[in-house]
Amino acid sequence: MSTKNESMGKTLGVVVGLCLVCAIVVSFASVQLRPMQQANKNEDIQRNILAVAGYDKVKNVSEVFNQNIESRVVSLKTGEFVEDVKAESFDFEATKFDAKRSYKLSKAEDKAGIQRITNNSPVYFAKDDQGKVSTIILPIQGYGLWGVMYGFLALEADGETIKSINFYKHSETPGLGGEIQNPKWTALWDGKELPIDVVKGSAGGNEHKVDGLSGATLTSNGVDHTVDFWTSDKAFGPFLAKVRKGALN
């Protein structure tokens, strides 16, 4: 038997009220947690920069990063440092879609499959005991099989010899393309020189070639295109040309 409190209007009122309360709680939590989420994101990026520079399994990430890594911003067009943009506040995702701070790549230019590129980009430097740059760390990104792969490429101070590579964010298939994070595979890059090709099968001892990932041809091609693009004249090429002429030390 129904009671006076059991009506369609009251039921809908309870549902709407409950939804409103839940929405307010979720929105409040999202706003309150946003600074913490951004801090965790920044720390994760710093951890990966340290790892590719040779500082592995670091506990106090922010402290070690600030002590050992210098962050600067370069113009991808000229290769010159940009002093009025801070690397610490550079947001690739926000900048990439700002028409004033980025531009659309043509199909012929877009080897990495990223569609747009920022006018400027952060670069990172690790220095030796004498204060000279020992490692140059470049942020790279490119399309693999399922989506964009984000990583860092570390070079020796000569701007040509590869010191390390790592990918910290991607959607490649675990056990196949996901092997781009396997230390055994990334170790194959150590000591190789630019320009470099990711080849199917064994690269042997060729200093300009790296073995492709078994069973992950499209991901391997994506890595190949990514490194090729970001070391080309459309990206860090002008900056690396200055480095090779001794601009850093």
Side-chain angles (χ1 to χ4, degrees):
M1 180 182 291
S2 64
T3 67
K4 293 181 179 179
N5 290 326
E6 293 178 348
S7 67
M8 182 62 73
K10 289 183 177 179
T11 300
L12 289 174
V14 170
V15 171
V16 171
L18 183 60
C19 290
L20 183 61
V21 170
C22 291
I24 292 172
V25 171
V26 171
S27 298
F28 180 78
S30 176
V31 171
Q32 292 298 310
L33 293 175
R34 191 171 299 159
M36 187 181 300
Q37 291 171 340
Q38 186 60 47
N40 289 337
K41 181 180 177 181
N42 292 341
E43 183 175 298
D44 185 56
I45 290 175
Q46 290 181 344
R47 179 181 290 105
N48 281 282
I49 292 172
L50 287 170
V52 80
Y55 298 89
D56 205 5
K57 298 180 180 178
V58 173
K59 292 184 179 179
N60 195 333
V61 173
S62 179
E63 181 178 328
V64 175
F65 183 89
N66 291 332
Q67 289 176 348
N68 296 281
I69 304 295
E70 179 185 7
S71 308
R72 301 190 70 176
V73 173
V74 299
S75 163
L76 296 181
K77 183 177 181 180
T78 66
E80 300 286 347
F81 288 116
V82 179
E83 304 298 346
D84 60 346
V85 180
K86 300 299 181 185
E88 295 81 2
S89 59
F90 197 95
D91 185 334
F92 265 116
E93 294 183 11
T95 305
K96 182 176 177 179
F97 296 102
D98 183 339
K100 295 181 179 178
R101 296 183 292 171
S102 68
Y103 66 94
K104 182 176 176 58
L105 294 162
S106 70
K107 188 174 181 179
E109 295 171 330
D110 192 14
K111 294 180 180 178
I114 55 175
Q115 300 183 20
R116 299 184 65 86
I117 186 170
T118 54
N119 298 331
N120 305 318
S121 173
V123 292
Y124 307 91
F125 305 105
K127 297 184 178 181
D128 60 21
D129 294 339
Q130 285 71 47
K132 292 187 175 182
V133 173
S134 59
T135 307
I136 305 161
I137 301 126
L138 310 175
I140 58 175
Q141 55 182 271
Y143 206 88
L145 173 59
W146 300 113
V148 177
M149 306 174 292
Y150 297 85
F152 294 102
L153 177 69
L155 302 175
E156 301 281 0
D158 61 10
E160 293 182 313
T161 306
I162 296 173
K163 191 169 185 177
S164 186
I165 189 171
N166 74 7
F167 288 92
Y168 61 92
K169 180 181 176 183
H170 65 83
S171 52
E172 301 307 286
T173 307
L176 294 173
E179 291 296 290
I180 56 174
Q181 290 184 303
N182 189 325
K184 291 183 179 178
W185 186 71
T186 57
L188 299 177
W189 290 73
D190 297 0
K192 298 288 184 177
E193 294 189 2
L194 298 175
I196 192 164
D197 292 322
V198 181
V199 299
K200 193 172 184 178
S202 174
N206 193 309
E207 63 187 7
H208 293 287
K209 294 182 179 180
V210 171
D211 300 358
L213 292 162
S214 178
T217 300
L218 293 180
T219 301
S220 297
N221 291 344
V223 174
D224 183 55
H225 297 157
T226 297
V227 175
D228 186 37
F229 174 80
W230 284 99
T231 54
S232 75
D233 288 343
K234 296 303 299 183
F236 291 113
F239 169 68
L240 292 176
K242 294 180 182 296
V243 169
R244 291 163 190 157
K245 293 180 180 178
L248 296 181
N249 291 316

